[in-house]
Amino acid sequence: MNNWYIPITILPGIALLILSTSNILIALSNEIAERIKQHIDPTLTKRKLRQLNLLTKGLVGLYIGAGSMVIAGIMSGIQNYIAITEDLATFFMLIGTISLFVSIGFLITFSFRAVKIRQDQFNESIN
C-alpha cells in the first residue's frame, strides 16, 4: 500500500461520525437519567437503555476503526524505512473498514429503533 494517505484521509469522516454519535449518546444518557430520577415508565426507560447500549457499541467500533486507520497509515508511511510487510498495513486497513461497517450497522439499527420508540411515545401521549 504505497498510498499511505488513503487511510488518513478517511479520518475526518470517522471523526464526524464519532462527534455526532457522542452528542446523541450524551443527550440520550441525560434523558435516561431524568426518566430514572422521575420514575417515568420503566419499560420505555429499559428500551432507551438498550438504545444507549447500541450507541456505545457503535462508538467503540468507530474508535477501533479510527485507530486501525491511523495504524495502517503510519505503517504504510514507514514501510520504506523499516522492514514492515505491506500486508500488515493492509490488514489494519481491513480491520478498520470492517469495524466501521459494523458500527454503521449498529447506528442504523439505533435509528430505526429510535423512531419506533418516538412513535410509541406519541401514541401513548394521545391516548
Side-chain angles (χ1 to χ4, degrees), residues 10-123:
I10 297 170
L11 284 177
I14 298 170
L16 186 60
L17 283 171
I18 289 171
L19 178 64
S20 64
T21 304
S22 296
N23 288 336
I24 294 168
L25 184 129
I26 290 167
L28 182 59
S29 183
N30 289 338
E31 181 183 353
I32 291 169
E34 230 8 76
R35 294 179 70 80
I36 291 171
K37 192 184 301 180
Q38 295 178 5
H39 304 290
I40 301 173
D41 191 9
T43 55
L44 192 59
T45 303
K46 287 178 185 176
R47 288 174 66 190
K48 288 184 177 280
L49 281 167
R50 286 193 296 273
Q51 290 292 94
L52 189 64
N53 188 30
L54 279 174
L55 278 178
T56 303
K57 288 176 183 176
L59 266 176
V60 168
L62 291 173
Y63 292 144
I64 291 169
S68 296
M69 295 295 179
V70 169
I71 291 170
I74 290 171
M75 291 183 136
S76 294
I78 65 172
Q79 74 183 9
N80 293 334
Y81 306 105
I82 300 173
I84 299 175
T85 64
E86 188 176 323
D87 295 337
L88 197 54
T90 304
F91 172 76
F92 277 104
M93 178 82 167
L94 184 63
I95 292 295
T97 304
I98 290 170
S99 178
L100 293 172
F101 182 73
V102 170
S103 294
I104 290 171
F106 283 129
L107 297 177
I108 290 170
T109 304
F110 165 82
S111 298
F112 282 121
R113 289 184 183 175
V115 169
K116 179 70 174 130
I117 288 172
R118 289 291 181 211
Q119 286 174 339
D120 291 347
Q121 283 179 307
F122 175 74
N123 291 335

